[in-house]
Amino acid sequence: MSNMFSYENLIFIVKGAGISLLIATFSLIFGVLIGYFVSQMRLSDKKISRVLANIFTEVIRGTPMLLQLMFFYLVVPYLYLQVFGKGLDVSPIVLSIIEISINSGAYISELFRSTIISIDKGQMEAGKALGLSKKVIFKQIIMPQAMIRMIIPLANEYVTLIKDSSLGSAIGVVELLQASKIIGSIHYNYVYPLLGAGVMYLLMTLVVSFITRQLEGKYLFNA
């Protein structure tokens, strides 16, 4: 049992935690970009844009993330092979980031949409009265307020993504959960590695939650 708590195993677990944070961080960044783009489609005056955006969000939010991950891992390479006649070699980490970003983007798009429409419409009318274009009003008046209101929900989304990064273990990503399982399999004891992984997940989410509460206190009255 003593070997289970060796320095090498500890480093292995810490590296796994680093991979989890890497996946969660990039998934949030790309999720925000996807969410913003989809939200603009949902708020568009063009019906086709609204329909396509609604289909996207309903499909992504209505199916399990693990199923989506398996689709990217198993189905997309198969389709690529059929179309181009050669295999698609993509890192499981990259696939995890892509899929989790898309999934997160569907939820963040609703966050963008609901936050934007919650801004007092009188501000849009005031901007028009000043002769500002709709584009300028949106970028300089609406979005700055919307982003302040979104800080806390996005921080909460990051907490969720840290935990969701564990799904990467299903396709071979050696993140925190997979690292703990590997150590458990080597020493024929999963109790301590999984407990350790649980503690590290808890520590990471608690740190983010603490920062979120600090931001909440700072920006609450500005929302």
Side-chain angles (χ1 to χ4, degrees), residues 5 7 13 24 32 38 67 77 99 119-120 122 125 145 155-156 161 166 170 182 191 195 222:
F5 301 100
Y7 176 77
I13 287 285
V32 168
V38 174
L67 173 63
E99 196 289 314
I119 304 296
D120 187 1
E125 296 172 357
Q145 297 179 70
N156 292 332
L161 292 178
S166 62
I182 290 173
V191 176
L195 283 176
N222 295 324

Short mmCIF file of all heavy atoms in Angstrom, two decimals, residues 5 7 13 24 32 38 67 77 99 119-120 122 125 145 155-156 161 166 170 182 191 195 222:
data_model
loop_
_atom_site.label_atom_id
_atom_site.label_comp_id
_atom_site.label_asym_id
_atom_site.label_seq_id
_atom_site.Cartn_x
_atom_site.Cartn_y
_atom_site.Cartn_z
N PHE A 5 1.15 5.46 -2.48
CA PHE A 5 1.28 6.87 -2.14
C PHE A 5 2.66 7.41 -2.50
O PHE A 5 3.14 8.37 -1.88
CB PHE A 5 1.02 7.07 -0.64
CG PHE A 5 -0.35 6.61 -0.22
CD1 PHE A 5 -0.52 5.39 0.40
CD2 PHE A 5 -1.47 7.41 -0.46
CE1 PHE A 5 -1.78 4.96 0.79
CE2 PHE A 5 -2.73 6.99 -0.07
CZ PHE A 5 -2.89 5.76 0.55
N TYR A 7 5.72 9.19 -4.69
CA TYR A 7 5.84 10.50 -5.33
C TYR A 7 5.41 10.43 -6.80
O TYR A 7 4.74 11.34 -7.31
CB TYR A 7 7.29 10.98 -5.23
CG TYR A 7 7.56 12.27 -5.94
CD1 TYR A 7 7.17 13.49 -5.40
CD2 TYR A 7 8.21 12.28 -7.19
CE1 TYR A 7 7.42 14.69 -6.06
CE2 TYR A 7 8.46 13.47 -7.86
CZ TYR A 7 8.06 14.66 -7.29
OH TYR A 7 8.31 15.84 -7.95
N ILE A 13 -1.25 11.73 -10.58
CA ILE A 13 -2.59 12.23 -10.25
C ILE A 13 -2.68 13.74 -10.51
O ILE A 13 -3.67 14.23 -11.06
CB ILE A 13 -2.93 11.94 -8.77
CG1 ILE A 13 -3.23 10.46 -8.56
CG2 ILE A 13 -4.11 12.78 -8.32
CD1 ILE A 13 -4.57 10.02 -9.08
N ALA A 24 -11.42 21.63 -19.19
CA ALA A 24 -12.48 22.52 -18.71
C ALA A 24 -12.25 23.95 -19.17
O ALA A 24 -13.19 24.64 -19.59
CB ALA A 24 -12.57 22.46 -17.19
N VAL A 32 -18.00 29.64 -24.84
CA VAL A 32 -18.46 31.03 -24.84
C VAL A 32 -18.56 31.55 -26.28
O VAL A 32 -19.54 32.21 -26.65
CB VAL A 32 -17.53 31.92 -24.00
CG1 VAL A 32 -17.83 33.40 -24.24
CG2 VAL A 32 -17.68 31.60 -22.52
N VAL A 38 -24.29 31.31 -31.47
CA VAL A 38 -25.62 30.69 -31.54
C VAL A 38 -26.68 31.64 -30.98
O VAL A 38 -27.79 31.72 -31.50
CB VAL A 38 -25.64 29.35 -30.78
CG1 VAL A 38 -27.05 28.77 -30.73
CG2 VAL A 38 -24.69 28.36 -31.44
N LEU A 67 -23.01 10.33 -25.00
CA LEU A 67 -23.40 9.89 -26.34
C LEU A 67 -22.78 10.78 -27.40
O LEU A 67 -22.27 10.29 -28.42
CB LEU A 67 -24.93 9.91 -26.47
CG LEU A 67 -25.50 9.63 -27.87
CD1 LEU A 67 -25.14 8.21 -28.30
CD2 LEU A 67 -27.01 9.82 -27.88
N PRO A 77 -14.85 9.71 -37.12
CA PRO A 77 -13.72 9.11 -37.85
C PRO A 77 -14.16 8.10 -38.91
O PRO A 77 -13.56 8.01 -39.99
CB PRO A 77 -12.92 8.41 -36.73
CG PRO A 77 -13.26 9.18 -35.51
CD PRO A 77 -14.70 9.54 -35.67
N GLU A 99 -16.04 18.37 -28.17
CA GLU A 99 -17.40 17.95 -27.83
C GLU A 99 -17.95 18.71 -26.63
O GLU A 99 -19.09 19.19 -26.64
CB GLU A 99 -17.44 16.45 -27.56
CG GLU A 99 -18.82 15.85 -27.57
CD GLU A 99 -19.65 16.26 -26.37
OE1 GLU A 99 -19.13 16.22 -25.24
OE2 GLU A 99 -20.82 16.66 -26.55
N ILE A 119 -31.81 42.99 -20.48
CA ILE A 119 -31.39 44.39 -20.41
C ILE A 119 -32.57 45.29 -20.78
O ILE A 119 -33.29 45.03 -21.74
CB ILE A 119 -30.21 44.66 -21.38
CG1 ILE A 119 -29.04 43.71 -21.08
CG2 ILE A 119 -29.76 46.11 -21.27
CD1 ILE A 119 -28.42 43.87 -19.73
N ASP A 120 -32.76 46.32 -20.00
CA ASP A 120 -33.87 47.25 -20.22
C ASP A 120 -33.91 47.74 -21.68
O ASP A 120 -32.93 48.29 -22.19
CB ASP A 120 -33.73 48.45 -19.28
CG ASP A 120 -34.94 49.38 -19.31
OD1 ASP A 120 -35.90 49.08 -20.06
OD2 ASP A 120 -34.91 50.38 -18.59
N GLY A 122 -35.33 50.15 -22.82
CA GLY A 122 -35.24 51.61 -22.88
C GLY A 122 -33.85 52.09 -23.25
O GLY A 122 -33.69 53.17 -23.82
N GLU A 125 -33.59 52.10 -26.96
CA GLU A 125 -34.33 53.24 -27.50
C GLU A 125 -33.58 54.55 -27.25
O GLU A 125 -33.56 55.44 -28.11
CB GLU A 125 -35.72 53.30 -26.86
CG GLU A 125 -36.58 52.09 -27.19
CD GLU A 125 -37.88 52.07 -26.39
OE1 GLU A 125 -38.07 52.98 -25.54
OE2 GLU A 125 -38.69 51.15 -26.61
N GLN A 145 -23.00 45.32 -20.20
CA GLN A 145 -23.87 45.00 -19.07
C GLN A 145 -24.17 43.51 -19.01
O GLN A 145 -24.21 42.91 -17.93
CB GLN A 145 -25.18 45.78 -19.19
CG GLN A 145 -25.00 47.29 -19.13
CD GLN A 145 -26.32 48.01 -19.27
OE1 GLN A 145 -27.15 47.97 -18.37
NE2 GLN A 145 -26.54 48.64 -20.41
N ALA A 155 -18.91 31.31 -14.29
CA ALA A 155 -18.06 30.68 -13.28
C ALA A 155 -18.69 29.36 -12.82
O ALA A 155 -17.99 28.36 -12.63
CB ALA A 155 -17.86 31.62 -12.10
N ASN A 156 -20.00 29.36 -12.65
CA ASN A 156 -20.70 28.13 -12.28
C ASN A 156 -20.59 27.09 -13.39
O ASN A 156 -20.48 25.88 -13.12
CB ASN A 156 -22.16 28.43 -11.97
CG ASN A 156 -22.33 29.25 -10.70
OD1 ASN A 156 -21.51 29.17 -9.79
ND2 ASN A 156 -23.39 30.04 -10.64
N LEU A 161 -17.96 22.15 -15.87
CA LEU A 161 -17.05 21.61 -16.88
C LEU A 161 -15.88 20.86 -16.25
O LEU A 161 -15.39 19.88 -16.83
CB LEU A 161 -16.54 22.73 -17.78
CG LEU A 161 -17.58 23.39 -18.68
CD1 LEU A 161 -16.95 24.53 -19.48
CD2 LEU A 161 -18.20 22.37 -19.62
N SER A 166 -14.36 14.62 -16.68
CA SER A 166 -14.13 13.20 -16.36
C SER A 166 -14.68 12.28 -17.44
O SER A 166 -14.26 11.12 -17.54
CB SER A 166 -14.78 12.85 -15.01
OG SER A 166 -16.19 13.04 -15.06
N ALA A 170 -13.71 8.08 -20.84
CA ALA A 170 -14.41 7.07 -21.63
C ALA A 170 -13.75 6.83 -22.98
O ALA A 170 -13.95 5.79 -23.60
CB ALA A 170 -15.87 7.48 -21.83
N ILE A 182 -6.14 4.11 -13.18
CA ILE A 182 -4.91 3.41 -13.59
C ILE A 182 -4.10 3.02 -12.35
O ILE A 182 -3.61 1.88 -12.25
CB ILE A 182 -4.08 4.30 -14.53
CG1 ILE A 182 -4.79 4.44 -15.89
CG2 ILE A 182 -2.67 3.72 -14.72
CD1 ILE A 182 -4.13 5.42 -16.83
N VAL A 191 -9.86 2.12 -3.77
CA VAL A 191 -10.45 2.95 -2.73
C VAL A 191 -9.72 4.27 -2.59
O VAL A 191 -10.31 5.37 -2.72
CB VAL A 191 -10.47 2.22 -1.38
CG1 VAL A 191 -11.00 3.15 -0.28
CG2 VAL A 191 -11.32 0.96 -1.47
N LEU A 195 -10.85 8.01 -3.92
CA LEU A 195 -11.08 9.00 -2.87
C LEU A 195 -10.21 10.23 -3.09
O LEU A 195 -10.65 11.37 -2.93
CB LEU A 195 -10.81 8.40 -1.49
CG LEU A 195 -11.88 7.46 -0.92
CD1 LEU A 195 -11.41 6.87 0.40
CD2 LEU A 195 -13.20 8.21 -0.73
N ASN A 222 -23.56 45.95 -9.70
CA ASN A 222 -23.38 46.51 -11.03
C ASN A 222 -24.25 45.82 -12.08
O ASN A 222 -24.33 46.26 -13.21
CB ASN A 222 -21.90 46.38 -11.48
CG ASN A 222 -20.99 47.22 -10.62
OD1 ASN A 222 -21.37 48.30 -10.18
ND2 ASN A 222 -19.78 46.75 -10.38
#
